[in-house]
């Protein structure tokens, strides 16, 4: 019952955090409020939910990464594939080397292999933290696509580097060739397992629904089970469950493009997954806050492991590591852009100029989150000879401080860095939007013509009625898509639509209020009232 009570308290903390963020006179990032609530939950109950890394990874990461892979723009990711892969893999391995030596130089008491392990686990950015920061800052679409794509894939490279660094501590040996082959297997096998298994399940689902019909609830449940299934099977196969979940999400998005699912299924699935994302995102930061009482209690031991350093030096070391991560990231981005510019000139194109402010913003936006803390807590308690794992508490403390400082620096500096920057409108997105609207309007008009022809053959006596309905619908389509012929008519039409929308919303509100009043007075059943209210809600959602 105690654990159940704490979990309920965590859910309440997630619920209240959004209201506190909106009520606060000072703009406080939502993750900090949720971390504070987590700390409060642990303080009130005298214990929190201690992160069990394996449970954390399988409970939180698969659904969140699956959803990110599902909803991220594949066209944008493919367009920025070079930048994303450079950040997700090349930058991670450079970070392990540079930050590993930095940690060992600052704190010689930390053995070099352990320094590499700490650098590896703080190298991947966290997709949940990136999304949380982006809510407060207007980040350009291209920059956000690169950050999201990077966060999807660098968990795998960071965790693989971390595992090999830990293995080097345990065995005292390291093989680059073996590490490279293992990384290729972990990555490729994870992607193949996630994509193939999801494709087969979606195919089976299509065959079953074609014969037996579709049930929205079953489809939603299948989408919830799928990320856990592919993650578990990939991990059992010794592959990356993280990449398997991402690949499953990408495959799911392509399966969805078939359009076979019912509209009701898509609406219900969208609503359920929004709730799942909101809950898990919040709980990750609340859970992170619950770890801090234990971390604070171990500060003295961590300072002792650092060679008897004063306690106040630990936050300085954490900040130095965080600044080192930003510096390495900045140098990598600058070098990468110069290489891309040279390649663009060789191809006869014009290289895009990127200001140092944008590069610095891109560097600061690579925030760390709960994935880093969960990963570092997988450090073994003892070596193979039974002796304690060296500086384990210090490693966990430094990782936690890097998380806090990265969130803090991004929250404080990103708004200032992005303020006043002007980015040219994305012409490709505008062209795609115009193309989509044109295609939808033309398909609708073609459908009207075919529908009219079919109905005239089926019921010639209704020819006049069908023709008038088609003319009315065609005129409405033309007005929505192409608007009025001149500016004055367009203004009148826009005003008319605005008034019509407001009046329709008022009509819906009045109808709903009357329905609920009838139900409260027991003149109609509450079940009937819910049915009609749901229809009115759908109409209101469409208008809004």
């Amino acid at each position: 019952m105690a654990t159940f009570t704490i979990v309920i308290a965590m859910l309440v903390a997630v619920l209240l955090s959004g209201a506190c963020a909106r009520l606060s006179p000072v703009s406080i990032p939502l993750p900090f409020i949720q971390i504070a609530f987590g700390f409060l939950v642990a303080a009130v109950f005298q214990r929190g939910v201690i992160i069990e890394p394996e449970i954390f990874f399988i409970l939180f990461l698969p659904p969140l990464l699956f959803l990110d892979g599902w909803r991220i723009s594949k066209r944008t990711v493919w367009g920025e594939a070079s930048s994303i892969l450079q950040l997700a893999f090349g930058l991670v391995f450079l970070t392990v080397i540079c930050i590993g030596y930095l940690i060992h130089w600052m704190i010689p008491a930390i053995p070099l292999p352990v320094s590499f392990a700490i650098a590896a686990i703080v190298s991947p950015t966290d997709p949940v933290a990136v999304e949380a920061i982006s809510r407060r800052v207007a980040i350009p679409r291209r920059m956000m696509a690169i950050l999201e794509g990077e966060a999807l894939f660098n968990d795998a490279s960071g965790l693989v580097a971390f595992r090999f660094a830990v293995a080097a501590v345990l065995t005292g040996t390291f093989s680059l060739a073996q590490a490279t082959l293992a990384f290729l297997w972990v990555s490729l096998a994870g992607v193949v397992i996630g994509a193939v298994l999801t494709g087969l399940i979606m195919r089976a689902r299509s065959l079953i629904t074609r014969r037996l019909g579709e049930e929205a609830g079953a489809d939603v449940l299948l989408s919830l089970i799928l990320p856990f299934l592919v993650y578990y099977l990939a991990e059992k196969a010794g592959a990356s469950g993280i990449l398997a979940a991402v690949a499953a999400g990408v495959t799911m998005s392509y399966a969805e493009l078939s359009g076979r699912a019912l509209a009701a299924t898509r609406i219900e699935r969208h609503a359920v997954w929004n709730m799942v994302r909101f809950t898990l995102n919040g709980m990750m930061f609340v859970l992170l806050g619950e770890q801090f009482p234990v971390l604070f209690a171990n500060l003295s031991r961590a300072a002792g492991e650092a060679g008897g350093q004063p306690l106040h030096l630990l936050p300085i070391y954490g900040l130095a590591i965080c600044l080192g991560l930003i510096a390495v990231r900045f140098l990598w981005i600058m070098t990468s852009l110069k290489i891309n510019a040279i390649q663009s000139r060789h191809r006869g194109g014009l290289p895009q100029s990127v200001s140092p402010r944008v590069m610095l913003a891109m560097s600061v936006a690579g925030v760390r989150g709960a994935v880093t803390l969960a990963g570092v807590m997988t450090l073994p308690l003892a070596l193979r000879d039974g002796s304690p794992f060296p500086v384990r508490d210090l490693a966990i403390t430094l990782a936690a401080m890097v998380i806090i400082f990265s969130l803090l620096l991004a929250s404080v500096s990103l708004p200032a860095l992005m303020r006043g920057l002007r980015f040219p409108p994305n012409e490709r997105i505008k062209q795609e939007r115009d193309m989509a609207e044109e295609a939808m309007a033309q398909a609708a008009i073609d459908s009207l013509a075919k529908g009219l022809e079919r109905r005239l053959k089926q019921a010639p006596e209704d020819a006049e009625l069908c023709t008038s309905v088609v003319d009315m619908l065609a005129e409405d389509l033309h007005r929505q898509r192409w608007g009025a012929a001149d500016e004055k008519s367009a203004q009148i039409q826009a005003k008319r639509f605005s008034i019509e929308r407001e009046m329709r919303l008022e009509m819906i509100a009045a109808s709903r209020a009357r329905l609920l009043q009838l139900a409260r007075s027991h003149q109609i059943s509450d079940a009937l009232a819910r049915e009609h209210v749901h229809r009115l809600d759908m109409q209101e959602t469409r208008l809004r």
Side-chain angles (χ1 to χ4, degrees):
M1 279 304 291
T3 301
F4 175 77
T5 305
I6 293 175
V7 171
I8 294 298
M10 290 171 65
L11 292 172
V12 172
V14 174
L15 188 65
L16 295 177
S17 61
C20 290
R22 290 190 295 271
L23 289 172
S24 174
V26 181
S27 179
I28 302 175
L30 184 60
F32 285 108
I33 297 176
Q34 291 168 339
I35 289 172
F37 268 115
F39 186 89
L40 187 63
V41 167
V44 169
F45 290 93
Q46 297 299 310
R47 73 183 199 51
V49 177
I50 303 300
I51 290 181
E52 292 289 343
E54 289 186 4
I55 296 176
F56 174 86
F57 281 129
I58 199 169
L59 183 62
F60 286 90
L61 290 191
L64 291 174
L65 293 174
F66 173 82
L67 187 60
D68 287 336
W70 188 352
R71 291 186 177 178
I72 196 171
S73 170
K74 313 305 176 295
R75 185 181 175 93
T76 304
V77 168
W78 282 117
E80 303 295 342
S82 175
S83 300
I84 290 172
L85 291 176
Q86 289 174 37
L87 290 169
F89 297 101
L91 176 59
V92 166
F93 297 129
L94 178 66
T95 300
V96 171
I97 295 170
C98 295
I99 301 302
Y101 278 110
L102 173 66
I103 293 171
H104 183 63
W105 174 76
M106 287 192 305
I107 315 173
I110 301 180
L112 189 58
V114 179
S115 298
F116 287 143
I118 298 171
I121 204 60
V122 299
S123 61
T125 55
D126 189 277
V128 177
V130 169
E131 183 193 3
I133 293 299
S134 68
R135 291 188 197 134
R136 300 181 63 249
V137 185
I139 297 178
R141 186 185 293 265
R142 184 188 176 200
M143 180 175 165
M144 195 62 209
I146 293 173
L147 289 171
E148 289 176 340
E150 174 198 6
L152 279 179
F153 297 105
N154 63 10
D155 283 344
S157 55
L159 287 173
V160 168
F162 174 73
R163 287 171 185 171
F164 274 97
V166 172
V169 178
L170 294 175
T171 63
T173 59
F174 174 76
S175 169
L176 181 60
Q178 183 182 358
T180 304
L181 289 174
F183 174 72
L184 290 175
W185 161 256
V186 163
S187 303
L188 296 177
V191 170
V192 170
I193 289 172
V196 171
L197 190 59
T198 304
L200 291 174
I201 290 174
M202 287 297 101
R203 179 64 178 164
R205 173 246 171 219
S206 178
L207 293 174
I208 293 171
T209 54
R210 199 178 301 162
R211 175 168 295 187
L212 303 177
E214 183 173 318
E215 186 179 351
D219 268 17
V220 174
L221 183 58
L222 176 63
S223 72
L224 291 171
I225 293 173
L226 191 55
F228 298 103
L229 177 64
V230 297
Y231 182 93
Y232 176 78
L233 292 179
E235 289 291 324
K236 281 294 182 183
S240 171
I242 290 172
L243 287 181
V246 173
V250 172
T251 307
M252 187 73 173
S253 72
Y254 284 115
E256 192 179 41
L257 293 178
S258 65
R260 295 193 184 99
L262 296 175
T265 299
R266 287 194 294 270
I267 291 171
E268 190 172 328
R269 192 165 56 194
H270 185 79
V272 169
W273 272 103
N274 280 347
M275 184 272 295
V276 169
R277 166 177 265 182
F278 172 80
T279 304
L280 292 183
N281 282 355
M283 285 191 72
M284 282 182 74
F285 287 111
V286 172
L287 194 59
L288 180 60
E290 290 190 22
Q291 312 311 305
F292 281 96
V294 176
L295 293 174
F296 289 155
N298 293 335
L299 279 179
S300 297
R301 193 186 309 167
E305 291 177 344
Q309 301 275 8
L311 278 178
H312 70 270
L313 285 182
L314 294 181
I316 296 174
Y317 290 144
L319 179 60
I321 295 170
C322 188
L323 293 175
L325 290 168
I326 294 172
V328 172
R329 188 177 176 86
F330 181 83
L331 292 173
W332 179 271
I333 291 171
M334 185 172 62
T335 305
S336 177
L337 287 172
K338 286 185 178 180
I339 293 172
N340 290 342
I342 293 171
Q343 292 175 344
S344 181
R345 288 194 191 95
H346 282 314
R347 290 193 296 263
L350 292 175
Q352 291 184 338
S353 61
V354 180
S355 70
R357 276 177 66 187
V358 174
M359 288 190 283
L360 184 56
M362 189 80 177
S363 304
V364 174
V367 290
R368 276 69 186 174
V371 173
T372 291
L373 188 59
V376 78
M377 292 185 76
T378 63
L379 286 172
L381 294 172
L383 300 176
R384 291 184 176 178
D385 61 2
S387 59
F389 190 91
V391 299
R392 185 178 187 273
D393 289 320
L394 178 59
I396 294 173
T397 300
L398 291 175
M401 289 179 177
V402 168
I403 294 169
I404 294 299
F405 282 123
S406 69
L407 283 168
L408 189 61
L409 288 173
S411 300
V412 172
S413 61
L414 269 182
L417 288 170
M418 304 303 294
R419 190 178 298 121
L421 289 177
R422 294 289 181 267
F423 297 92
N426 195 320
E427 291 298 326
R428 182 178 62 80
I429 293 176
K430 184 178 182 302
Q431 291 171 2
E432 288 181 9
R433 185 175 286 113
D434 290 342
M435 183 192 301
E437 291 178 357
E438 180 77 32
M440 287 190 298
Q442 191 59 52
I445 291 173
D446 293 343
S447 173
L448 283 176
K450 292 177 183 177
L452 176 61
E453 183 180 352
R454 185 176 67 253
R455 284 170 176 79
L456 289 179
K457 288 180 181 178
Q458 294 173 349
E461 66 276 9
D462 294 335
E464 184 177 350
L465 178 61
C466 289
T467 302
S468 64
V469 170
V470 168
D471 289 342
M472 179 187 67
L473 291 173
E475 182 182 353
D476 187 47
L477 276 171
H478 189 279
R479 187 171 63 247
Q480 289 180 27
R481 175 66 186 94
W482 290 283
D486 56 80
E487 186 177 349
K488 185 176 180 181
S489 299
Q491 291 175 352
I492 295 173
Q493 183 175 295
K495 190 173 183 180
R496 173 184 172 275
F497 280 155
S498 177
I499 294 172
E500 180 182 344
R501 175 178 169 278
E502 290 177 6
M503 294 187 73
R504 284 184 181 276
L505 289 172
E506 291 169 0
M507 290 163 58
I508 290 171
S511 299
R512 183 166 49 225
R514 181 58 179 152
L515 264 175
L516 296 174
Q517 183 183 14
L518 290 173
R520 286 194 299 268
S521 61
H522 304 291
Q523 296 180 58
I524 62 173
S525 71
D526 56 342
L528 181 63
R530 277 194 299 272
E531 179 184 337
H532 285 287
V533 165
H534 178 69
R535 293 178 184 175
L536 292 172
D537 290 343
M538 296 296 290
Q539 293 177 28
E540 181 178 345
T541 302
R542 180 175 176 271
L543 286 170
R544 290 189 184 281

